[in-house]
Amino acid sequence: MDCNKDLISRLKKIEGQIRGIQKMMEDERYCVDILTQIAAVRSAITKVGILVLEKHTKGCISEAIKNDEQEEKIAELMQVLSKFLK
């Protein structure tokens, strides 16, 4: 499975998890169970972000270094990391 297909598959799974949480709320399920599912979604979305970051680093950053454009791309990467890690 290529990287984009894997990421899309992960996002669809997360989308399903979110719908499940909405249903849990509608059904007035136990708060601890809902919070557990929210934690699972947060973990899954973080993993997607890490995979996208890895793809960017191995692709765009790598290419920029080869083309002697590393300063600009590294600055961009640092901005992205700052946002991602908030």
Side-chain angles (χ1 to χ4, degrees):
M1 185 180 291
D2 76 24
C3 185
N4 279 343
K5 285 184 181 178
D6 178 49
L7 291 170
I8 290 168
S9 175
R10 287 173 183 268
L11 289 169
K12 287 180 180 180
K13 182 178 177 188
I14 292 166
E15 181 181 25
Q17 288 176 296
I18 295 292
R19 281 195 303 273
I21 293 170
Q22 288 172 333
K23 176 107 172 72
M24 291 173 79
M25 295 294 296
E26 290 166 359
D27 294 345
E28 298 183 7
R29 296 276 301 271
Y30 187 50
C31 292
V32 171
D33 294 339
I34 294 168
L35 290 169
T36 299
Q37 291 305 309
I38 290 170
V41 167
R42 289 177 65 188
S43 176
I45 200 73
T46 297
K47 179 64 176 173
V48 168
I50 289 169
L51 291 171
V52 170
L53 185 58
E54 179 181 0
K55 178 182 174 187
H56 177 65
T57 303
K58 288 181 176 178
C60 298
I61 302 297
S62 216
E63 192 63 30
I65 290 169
K66 289 177 190 173
N67 295 328
D68 200 31
E69 300 166 349
Q70 62 266 22
E71 293 300 320
E72 179 183 325
K73 285 295 180 180
I74 289 172
E76 178 187 70
L77 178 62
M78 295 310 296
Q79 286 179 331
V80 168
L81 280 171
S82 177
K83 290 177 185 176
F84 182 71
L85 296 173
K86 280 187 180 181

